[in-house]
Amino acid sequence: MVATDPGRGSRTGGHPVRAGSMSRPAGIRTILTASLVGTTVEWYDFFLYSTAAALVFPGLFFPSQNPLVSTLLSFGTFTVGFVARPVGGVLFGHIGDRLGRKRTLVITMVAMGVSTALIGLLPSYQQIGLAAPALLLVLRILQGLAVGGEWGGAVLLAVENAPPGRHGRYGSVPQIGLGLGLALGTGVFTLLGQTLGSDAFRSVGWRAAFVLSLLLVVVGLVVRLRVLETPAFRDLAERGDTSAVPIRELFQLPRHRRNVLLGLLTRWGEGASFNTWGVFVITYATASVHLPRTDVLVAVTVSALVMAAMAPVAGQLADRFSRRLVFGVGVASFGLTVVPSFAVLQTGQSWVLFAVVGVQLGIWYGLMTGAESTLFAELFDTKVRYTGMSLVFQGSGIYASGLTPVILTALLAVGGGTPWLAAGYLALTAVISLVAVRAIRPTETTLAALETRDEQPLAGATR
């Protein structure tokens, strides 16, 4: 095997492609489709909740004389989903590293679809009192557990099937699902709101968006059940080398412990960026800047589609240069432009909102998300990779993602409605991420494990 610079994507011509890795293009397409469709459905479900938490849930499940209190309580349940995600990451990471990636991904998809649909059928506070927010909280926890196990498996489905020199491109495919899922969620809310009117949307429309999840899950399962286990895991299973307790083994090696810590810090700016421009901006632009709700939702939807298009570009750049460089450019650009972005939003012009969210969420975040999946996959050996990268991505989600809307809302209140404290906090998260990603050093061992190939079929009849 040709040596590869840690942190740099291997060139396509630098490694021989074995017969089993690329001889079945239909299998490759099925694998990437399964990865993409699955993450799209999971993120649609997860972030549909975020849109509802900003626009619908405060009045339906958390009525209060103070709108700020209602919003904070609603965003609090949004945050609980992120607290549950690392638990789901460790739980399903254990299953994925012990029993396989494929069967784990089937379980997570069903769990997410059922919990999301049940949210759409949940009675309001006016109907059943405190039981309504309590049940909402339970279902949000189930959502968090499911998405906690989904992301790592979907990424590994793509990355562990990638031919040499294309790990970045393949790893970026499930990240496209993040943009598509967000766009689908906000787009469905916008369409239903415009079609049904305000009263009908609040009583029935938002519920239809959640129940729709069941149909999407059926489509996802049809594709996902056609995919076989990844070559890397099949090789481990055949050798009887799977880990008995992946989470314990993950922390036995110093380099794994170091990579867990650096990965957690690296994601801080990325998670804060997404939840600022994909979640918090909906409340901020409507309540503080007084822009029309439809304009805000359309801006987020369009920007999410730009992000989806940008992710594979970032994946190709990550193969051409390095994962760390592409991610670093994205997070540095976010940090440098966050204060000016909030400044120009004060003009209250819709076109400014489209430009700001388009650049921040579409381009800068697109660079980060397109590179990070392979970046994190390269941090760990195959036998603990599912658990390791899930712990990094989902563990950091508590403070980097879930708490962001709550922190920004609180800083906005402390600042008397001005956004400068919030913007300063976001700039600080970018600095932390930059320092951490510069310190990350994927090793030859983990890169070599990603290059492992076997001659078994990539996709076909279910095993």
Side-chain angles (χ1 to χ4, degrees):
M1 176 166 302
V2 179
T4 309
D5 176 16
R8 178 177 294 275
S10 56
R11 304 302 177 90
T12 303
H15 301 269
V17 180
R18 293 177 60 184
S21 61
M22 284 297 288
S23 60
R24 294 173 175 83
I28 289 291
R29 285 194 295 270
T30 301
I31 288 164
L32 294 181
T33 300
S35 180
L36 174 59
V37 171
T39 53
T40 299
V41 173
E42 294 278 344
W43 289 122
Y44 166 80
D45 288 355
F46 196 76
F47 288 112
L48 186 66
Y49 190 102
S50 69
T51 307
L55 299 177
V56 177
F57 289 169
L60 286 179
F61 296 103
F62 308 98
S64 171
Q65 298 298 320
N66 188 334
L68 176 62
V69 173
S70 295
T71 300
L72 285 173
L73 288 173
S74 182
F75 276 147
T77 60
F78 170 75
T79 303
V80 166
F82 287 89
V83 176
R85 278 169 56 174
V87 179
V90 173
L91 171 64
F92 290 111
H94 177 89
I95 297 172
D97 282 330
R98 285 278 296 149
L99 303 178
R101 291 32 169 148
K102 175 189 169 178
R103 68 180 66 186
T104 308
L105 290 174
V106 171
I107 296 171
T108 58
M109 177 169 283
V110 172
M112 176 61 92
V114 171
S115 59
T116 301
L118 288 176
I119 290 174
L121 301 175
L122 197 61
S124 68
Y125 179 88
Q126 287 78 9
Q127 293 173 304
I128 60 173
L130 289 175
L135 290 172
L136 180 66
L137 185 64
V138 171
L139 293 174
R140 180 58 174 174
I141 291 172
L142 291 177
Q143 276 194 325
L145 292 174
V147 81
E150 165 70 23
W151 181 81
V155 168
L156 293 183
L157 194 64
V159 172
E160 290 185 345
N161 278 296
R166 297 187 183 180
H167 294 117
R169 273 169 277 192
Y170 277 50
S172 69
V173 170
Q175 301 298 78
I176 298 173
L178 176 61
L180 294 181
L182 177 61
L184 187 60
T186 54
V188 167
F189 254 51
T190 304
L191 178 62
L192 291 172
Q194 290 295 99
T195 304
L196 300 176
S198 179
D199 291 340
F201 175 77
R202 288 180 62 83
S203 62
V204 178
W206 73 270
R207 296 181 182 276
F210 278 77
V211 175
L212 176 64
S213 172
L214 288 179
L215 176 61
L216 298 177
V217 166
V218 170
V219 174
L221 285 175
V222 168
V223 179
R224 187 161 279 180
L225 286 171
R226 294 181 58 203
V227 178
L228 296 182
E229 191 51 77
T230 70
F233 182 82
R234 289 204 304 266
D235 181 60
L236 276 181
E238 288 170 0
R239 290 187 284 111
D241 196 28
T242 56
S243 175
V245 186
I247 188 66
R248 181 181 64 193
E249 189 166 338
L250 179 68
F251 286 98
Q252 285 178 339
L253 288 179
R255 62 181 172 85
H256 281 166
R257 292 198 299 268
R258 181 177 186 272
N259 282 342
V260 167
L261 175 60
L262 291 175
L264 289 169
L265 295 176
T266 294
R267 255 213 85 216
W268 203 334
E270 176 266 316
S273 172
F274 180 87
N275 285 276
T276 297
W277 306 113
V279 179
F280 172 76
V281 74
I282 297 175
T283 298
Y284 176 73
T286 53
S288 298
V289 186
H290 306 296
L291 286 167
R293 183 183 69 178
T294 299
D295 287 359
V296 178
L297 289 175
V298 171
V300 172
T301 301
V302 171
S303 300
L305 292 175
V306 174
M307 180 226 300
M310 192 67 190
V313 174
Q316 292 188 48
L317 291 173
D319 283 333
R320 176 66 178 83
F321 299 102
S322 78
R323 334 293 189 207
R324 292 189 299 128
L325 177 61
V326 176
F327 183 93
V329 168
V331 76
S333 300
F334 158 64
L336 290 172
T337 58
V338 66
V339 173
S341 293
F342 275 101
V344 296
L345 281 177
Q346 303 307 301
T347 62
Q349 299 294 317
S350 291
W351 71 268
V352 173
L353 172 72
F354 274 82
V356 166
V357 181
V359 171
Q360 289 284 5
L361 185 62
I363 299 177
W364 301 153
Y365 185 80
L367 287 174
M368 288 184 263
T369 194
E372 75 173 345
S373 53
T374 311
L375 173 67
F376 292 154
E378 290 176 338
L379 299 182
F380 307 103
D381 296 328
T382 304
K383 58 167 44 178
V384 296
R385 187 174 293 138
Y386 201 144
T387 300
M389 63 187 299
S390 294
L391 181 61
V392 165
F393 189 84
Q394 310 300 355
S396 59
I398 297 176
Y399 54 87
S401 301
L403 284 176
T404 293
V406 177
I407 292 173
L408 297 184
T409 300
L411 290 176
L412 198 65
V414 171
T418 62
W420 312 124
L421 288 176
Y425 166 78
L426 294 172
L428 177 61
T429 68
V431 172
I432 293 171
S433 289
L434 273 177
V435 173
V437 77
R438 283 181 58 85
I440 278 181
R441 293 292 185 274
T443 67
E444 288 293 335
T445 303
T446 55
L447 288 171
L450 282 178
E451 297 290 356
T452 301
R453 285 291 172 270
D454 63 17
E455 306 300 325
Q456 300 181 41
L458 295 175
T462 305
R463 275 188 181 173

